[in-house]
Amino acid sequence: MTAMPVAGAEEVRAAMEYYARQGWTDGLPVVPVTGSYLAEFLATTDRDPEEVLFALPHLDRRCTVRLAAINAAMAGCLPAYFPVVLAAWEAIGREPQLKCGVWQSTAGTAPLLVVNGPVRDRIGLNSRGDVFGSGFRANATIGRAVRLAAINVFGLRPHLLDQATQGTPARFSACIAENEEDSPWEPLHCEHGFDPADSVVTALVIRSCLHVESRHTGSPEQLALDLAGSLRRTGALVHETGSALVVLGPEHAAAFGAAGWSKDDLRRFLHDHAVNSRAELAAVGKDAVSRNGRHRLPADHPDAITDRYGLSATPHRVPALASPEAVVIAVAGADNAGVSTILETFAPHTGPLPTARIRVPA
């Protein structure tokens, strides 16, 4: 049997530098990909390597299974992660905002992947401490696989097709798993019709992450008011109304669960209390909306019209959220402090969440 040739450290480093000179990176080193290594990724799926997973028609570019595999390998994924990457692209394709130019938005949006089900343990996805941070290969590289494909397949490079004004760290990688074991409620995927034994990826478009720390109380009303106060911040109100993914730390989730609150109870409370007065909006020049885009404007702007709440019975109360359903709730993080995170999402979800089941060939 003939031994396979082994590349030396100098050759590997030269390949990495070559990739960097071609602009095939996100600024960090990438893994050089050989044909045999690519084959290991493609062996984890029975899908045709030339099947189109996702397309941006306005750019006339398409991501195939093969291209997704190349970028997953470059991102540092193990082959066992690739079914999750494929499901991520399926879920991304079901998110209306991601089918258009939001990838190029000046707001610097990024896809966030939330993973549920047994795959979390099988490949070592982090759902607990430092869930939005570093230290876990599966989380870091699965999210990075999507960003590298955005760069290398769709040409979304900063200063060129990518028009982000400041961007966000999530544009390197944004992938978390839900801490189902420490949640008082059914997991996110079961809430949306999947079986607990299913492994599922949900894709959302996020613009910002806001840290919410409330260690001082176990009162569900006080906790919910703290969250609502964060959700209604005027700096986030670009459109007529907003939406959010609220990722509760286990301690906060437990406080709501112990008090008998359901996810729907919390959603309704947040919608009803994440409210600004007309005077507060006027103070920052956001008391009206544009005639066409429904972006917030000063009332004296020539394109301004009254927002949807201006003719209501209580026109001085302006909800920051489109509806209770505009709030998606998940649980993640360690059970060691009263910390949660609000992620501002790009647009409310009026229908099913963009999800996809992770498929592993028999």
Side-chain angles (χ1 to χ4, degrees), residues 208-215 227 230 338-343:
S208 65
C209 299
L210 183 63
H211 181 85
V212 179
E213 189 160 349
S214 292
R215 307 186 191 206
L227 292 168
S230 301
V339 174
S340 293
T341 300
I342 289 172
L343 298 103

Side-chain angles (χ1 to χ4, degrees), residues 127-151:
S127 66
R128 292 182 171 86
D130 200 31
V131 69
F132 288 106
S134 60
F136 292 83
R137 183 174 182 176
N139 299 61
T141 61
I142 290 169
R144 190 187 186 203
V146 171
R147 176 52 54 186
L148 283 181
I151 293 169

Side-chain angles (χ1 to χ4, degrees), residues 13-14 18 26 35 98 115-116 122 146 193 199 208 252 265 280 293 302 320 346:
R13 190 164 72 235
Y18 175 78
D26 51 7
L98 288 171
V115 184
N116 284 94
R122 191 161 65 242
V146 171
S199 291
S208 65
H252 287 169
D265 292 331
E280 287 172 316
F346 194 73

Side-chain angles (χ1 to χ4, degrees), residues 229-248:
S230 301
L231 283 164
R232 76 180 185 89
R233 65 187 184 93
T234 59
L237 291 178
V238 178
H239 302 285
E240 185 168 26
T241 53
S243 59
L245 166 64
V246 177
V247 179
L248 296 172

Side-chain angles (χ1 to χ4, degrees), residues 60-212:
D60 194 26
R61 300 188 186 193
R62 297 160 187 81
C63 182
T64 63
V65 171
R66 183 187 301 277
L67 290 172
I70 292 170
N71 283 278
M74 289 171 59
C77 287
L78 292 174
Y81 304 170
F82 190 51
V84 183
V85 175
L86 288 174
W89 280 113
E90 282 191 61
I92 285 169
R94 293 167 184 162
E95 164 52 72
Q97 297 296 322
L98 288 171
K99 292 180 180 179
C100 57
V102 73
W103 294 84
Q104 300 168 262
S105 170
T106 55
T109 54
L112 169 76
L113 309 176
V114 182
V115 184
N116 284 94
V119 74
R120 297 170 305 138
D121 292 330
R122 191 161 65 242
I123 66 172
L125 277 161
N126 182 30
S127 66
R128 292 182 171 86
D130 200 31
V131 69
F132 288 106
S134 60
F136 292 83
R137 183 174 182 176
N139 299 61
T141 61
I142 290 169
R144 190 187 186 203
V146 171
R147 176 52 54 186
L148 283 181
I151 293 169
N152 295 323
V153 178
F154 298 107
L156 300 174
R157 293 180 175 85
H159 304 183
L160 297 171
L161 293 181
D162 181 345
Q163 296 297 306
T165 302
Q166 291 189 324
T168 163
R171 291 166 76 83
F172 277 102
S173 176
C175 175
I176 68 170
E178 184 170 22
N179 185 348
E180 300 175 16
E181 292 72 20
D182 289 335
S183 173
W185 303 303
E186 63 178 347
L188 181 65
H189 68 311
C190 297
E191 184 184 351
H192 292 277
F194 291 94
D195 187 270
D198 291 331
S199 291
V200 174
V201 179
T202 302
L204 298 168
V205 188
I206 64 169
R207 294 199 295 183
S208 65
C209 299
L210 183 63
H211 181 85
V212 179

